[in-house]
Amino acid sequence: MVSISIELNTLVNRLSNANLSLASAGVQIPRYDRSRVTPGIVHLGIGNFHRAHQAIYADDCLAAGQLDWGIIGASLRSSETRDALAPQDNLYTIVGHQDEQTSLRIVGSIGHILVAPEGPAQLLKALVDPRIRIVTLTVTEKGYTTDLASRTLLKDHPDVRHDLEHVAAPRSVVGFLAEAIARRRERSVRPFTVLSCDNLPANGDTVRKILLEFTAGRDTDLEHYIRDEVAFPSSMVDRIVPATTDEVRAEVSRKSGLRDAWPVMTEPYTQWVIEEQFPAGRPDWARSGALFVGNVAPYEHMKLRLLNGAHSAIAAIGRVAGLETVDKAIGHPAIRTFIEGYWTEAGATVSRELNPGAYTRKLLERFANPALGHRTEQIATDASQKVPQRILTPLRELRAKGLPNAHLVFAVAAWIRSCAGYDDSGKAFSLNDPTLTTWRGMPDQALCSAEETTSAFMSNSSVFGDELPRDIPFVHSVASALQIFRENGAVAAIAALSQNRI
Ligand code: CS2
C-alpha cells in the first residue's frame, strides 16, 4: 500500500510556478504575477504556523495588487523548509479541514527563503534592504532568549554571548535585529517595524525590552535610537496548525494534482489582532480580517489564558492518560468537564467585554475538530517555556484576588506529572523540552515523593518566579494534586476534582 502510494506520488508533477496551471479544478492558486512581487517583509521563523497565518494575509494583499509586500522567509536553524520549498519556487499548499470538507489553496507570498546559519551576511543584507519595512517573528518562546518569569534577556545564553562578540555574524533573533537596525541607521535607512507573532504576553514590548538590554551591552547610542525610533507593536495571533504528516502530503498530491514536499494543514478559523503602530507603512491585512487596535492586551490575555492555557493542560493530561490528540482528549467527558471548569476559573481574569463565554464555546468546537489530528505531544513541546504565561500568570492573579483556582492548580500538577516522562500505564514518552531536561534540579519522579517533586519544581525560578513558591498553601495544593494524579491516574484525578470529591 505504502509503496503504491509512493509510486503514484512520483508520477504527479511537482508544484512550481510553471505547473500551477495543472492544479486540479477547485484548488485556489495565486492570481497575481509573482514575478512582479517585491519584498516588503522579512519573516524570521519560517515554520508551519507562519505559513498558515501571516503568509496567507500577505497572499491576500498581493492578490489585491499590493505587490510590494512579498515575504522573504528566514530560518534561524535548519535548512529543512528551504530545501523542501526551493524546488517548488517557494509555493506550498494550505489544506483546510473542517467536518468532511477539504479546501486547498496554493500560496505564493513567500518569494525566497534564507537559512541564517548558512549565511548570516545574506540575512543581514535582506534586513537592511530599504524595501523591507516590517520584520515579523514566529521564533517560538525559546527564540527570545529570555527568562520568561522575569522577562529579562538571558545574558549568559551562548547565542547571546556569541552575538555580543560577533556582531556581523549573529545567531540569535536579538543579534540579527540589533545589527540590522544599526546598519540601517548608519546608512540612513528608516528602521523597519518589528512585529512579534509569538504566543508571549505583550510580545512587542518583550522584544523591545530584550533588544534594549542586548544593545545596552553593546552600544548605548544604538540603544537610544531603538528606544526613540523603532516601533514594536504587539499582536495576538491565532490559528491551530498541526505538524505536517505524510498522510497530508499524500492527500495534497491526490487532490491537487501537484506534489508538494511540505504542505500545511490547518483549521478554517484564523484571527490576528495587531496594535496600530507602523510608521514605515504596512499592508492592508484588515482585508483578510485582521483587527487593528490601540491595545492588544485584553485579546492576548483571552487567547493565551483560555486557548493556550487549556491546550497546555490538555497536552499534559492527554500525555499522561495516553490520549494522543486534542480531539480525543476533549472528547473524553472527564477532560471536557475539567477544561470547562478551567475556563470558568481562568475566564475570571479576562475582560468581560470580549465575551469569554462565546470564545470558549467556539474553542470547544475547534478543539474537537477530528480532521486536525493535533497531537498532544506537539503542544507539550517546550512546555516549561509555555506554562509560566499560559497558566501561572492567571493563577497568580486569581490567588491575589482570592478567586477559585483549583483547576489551574491541577493543571500545574498535571504538567509536573507529565514531566516524569511516562504515562499512567507506565509507558515512557519523550520530553521534548531541552530547557527543562537540561535543568540540573530535575527530580527523578520515580524516586521522589509528590512533596519532594513539587518542591524541586518550585525551585525552578525561571518557571515559577519568586513569589509563587513562597505561597505555602499553593505549594501544598500542587503537591496534593500531584499525589492524586499518581494514585488515581490523570483522568480519575481530574474527575474527582470536578465531582468535588477533593
Ligand atoms: C499550541 C499553539 O503548540 C502549542 O503550544 O498551544 O501552537 C496553538 O495551537 C496556537 O497558539 C493556536 O493559535
Side-chain angles (χ1 to χ4, degrees):
M1 182 65 198
V2 173
S3 68
I4 295 175
S5 64
I6 291 171
E7 262 169 45
L8 273 180
N9 224 3
T10 52
L11 295 176
V12 176
N13 288 297
R14 181 78 179 260
L15 172 62
S16 68
N17 283 334
N19 285 340
L20 275 177
S21 57
L22 303 176
S24 308
V27 177
Q28 189 182 337
I29 60 172
R31 292 280 173 214
Y32 51 89
D33 179 354
R34 290 188 83 213
S35 67
R36 290 181 48 225
V37 173
T38 54
I41 298 171
V42 168
H43 181 78
L44 306 184
I46 191 82
N48 273 15
F49 182 74
H50 168 71
R51 296 200 277 132
H53 192 273
Q54 303 98 61
I56 306 288
Y57 290 77
D59 201 49
D60 287 343
C61 291
L62 296 175
Q66 299 169 41
L67 294 177
D68 57 343
W69 286 108
I71 300 173
I72 296 178
S75 162
L76 295 186
R77 296 186 189 286
S78 89
S79 63
E80 268 184 313
T81 310
R82 189 271 322 271
D83 296 345
L85 299 193
Q88 48 193 61
D89 299 321
N90 298 307
L91 291 164
Y92 62 93
T93 317
I94 284 285
V95 188
H97 269 309
Q98 177 77 44
D99 306 322
E100 301 297 290
Q101 310 282 345
T102 307
S103 63
L104 295 176
R105 170 175 182 170
I106 295 173
V107 181
S109 52
I110 299 174
H112 204 68
I113 299 181
L114 300 170
V115 180
E118 284 176 12
Q122 271 174 292
L123 176 53
L124 281 171
K125 190 165 170 236
L127 287 165
V128 176
D129 184 332
R131 295 174 300 174
I132 299 303
R133 283 146 291 156
I134 301 179
V135 175
T136 47
L137 311 174
T138 53
V139 291
T140 79
E141 294 81 357
K142 267 195 307 218
Y144 291 83
T145 50
T146 301
D147 179 279
L148 292 168
S150 59
R151 280 219 304 153
T152 49
L153 180 69
L154 293 170
K155 294 211 175 83
D156 284 332
H157 191 291
D159 291 350
V160 173
R161 285 171 48 174
H162 171 274
D163 290 0
L164 281 168
E165 277 162 31
H166 306 92
V167 291
R171 289 181 183 159
S172 69
V173 172
V174 277
F176 274 107
L177 291 176
E179 182 59 12
I181 295 170
R183 291 190 189 180
R184 288 176 82 108
R185 177 173 165 240
E186 270 158 35
R187 295 171 199 185
S188 305
V189 175
R190 186 175 195 171
F192 43 65
T193 297
V194 181
L195 179 60
S196 165
C197 300
D198 278 293
N199 289 318
L200 287 177
N203 52 14
D205 198 51
T206 303
V207 200
R208 178 173 185 273
K209 188 167 177 297
I210 57 162
L211 195 55
L212 289 173
E213 281 178 45
F214 179 81
T215 42
R218 176 186 148 160
D219 171 348
T220 36
D221 280 354
L222 181 62
E223 185 199 347
H224 290 134
Y225 179 78
I226 293 175
R227 200 182 290 281
D228 298 339
E229 304 294 336
V230 184
F232 297 86
S234 284
S235 83
M236 180 277 259
V237 289
D238 189 8
R239 195 163 208 192
I240 294 174
V241 189
T244 302
T245 58
D246 284 341
E247 287 73 36
V248 172
R249 290 188 178 88
E251 182 189 14
V252 167
S253 291
R254 211 171 52 241
K255 294 190 176 156
S256 75
L258 291 170
R259 191 156 47 90
D260 182 342
W262 207 332
V264 181
M265 192 237 284
T266 187
E267 59 174 344
Y269 188 92
T270 179
Q271 201 185 13
W272 198 4
V273 185
I274 312 167
E275 280 171 4
E276 182 65 282
Q277 275 182 59
F278 291 86
R282 62 165 173 83
D284 180 19
W285 291 316
R287 69 171 41 257
S288 322
L291 183 65
F292 286 89
V293 296
N295 176 15
V296 90
Y299 296 90
E300 167 230 290
H301 289 174
M302 181 157 86
K303 197 260 169 169
L304 261 182
R305 298 173 184 195
L306 299 182
L307 189 157
N308 297 115
H311 248 177
S312 289
I314 290 172
I317 296 166
R319 292 207 90 191
V320 176
L323 296 162
E324 287 185 352
T325 58
V326 175
D327 62 295
K328 289 215 175 74
I330 202 72
H332 195 298
I335 298 181
R336 180 185 162 140
T337 308
F338 173 79
I339 290 299
E340 286 172 336
Y342 185 99
W343 281 333
T344 305
E345 290 176 0
T349 71
V350 168
S351 160
R352 295 282 103 200
E353 278 168 34
L354 295 184
N355 197 350
Y359 185 75
T360 53
R361 277 194 293 284
K362 180 73 187 166
L363 280 185
L364 262 188
E365 197 187 292
R366 294 172 64 197
F367 286 1
N369 184 348
L372 294 177
H374 195 193
R375 295 177 68 75
T376 46
E377 183 185 356
Q378 181 183 340
I379 301 167
T381 301
D382 290 332
S384 67
Q385 306 278 300
K386 298 174 175 175
V387 164
Q389 60 277 14
R390 296 178 176 197
I391 302 176
L392 299 176
T393 302
L395 185 57
R396 255 184 226 106
E397 273 184 32
L398 292 171
R399 294 186 71 78
K401 291 185 185 147
L403 292 170
N405 55 76
H407 288 76
L408 278 75
V409 167
F410 262 62
V412 174
W415 171 61
I416 295 177
R417 167 63 188 86
S418 71
C419 295
Y422 49 85
D423 70 14
D424 280 332
S425 69
K427 195 168 139 220
F429 53 73
S430 61
L431 287 184
N432 192 2
D433 188 349
T435 327
L436 187 76
T437 47
T438 56
W439 167 53
R440 290 212 191 119
M442 181 79 159
D444 180 346
Q445 296 204 38
L447 301 177
C448 297
S449 68
E451 285 77 21
E452 287 161 349
T453 303
T454 305
S455 81
F457 269 82
M458 293 296 148
S459 72
N460 188 330
S461 62
S462 60
V463 175
F464 287 95
D466 301 326
E467 197 188 306
L468 272 175
R470 286 202 290 263
D471 177 347
I472 304 302
F474 164 74
V475 178
H476 282 320
S477 29
V478 174
S480 82
L482 179 59
Q483 182 59 21
I484 297 167
F485 272 93
R486 289 182 174 187
E487 280 169 11
N488 303 275
V491 169
I494 56 173
L497 175 69
S498 311
Q499 289 154 11
N500 278 327
R501 284 193 277 113
I502 317 167

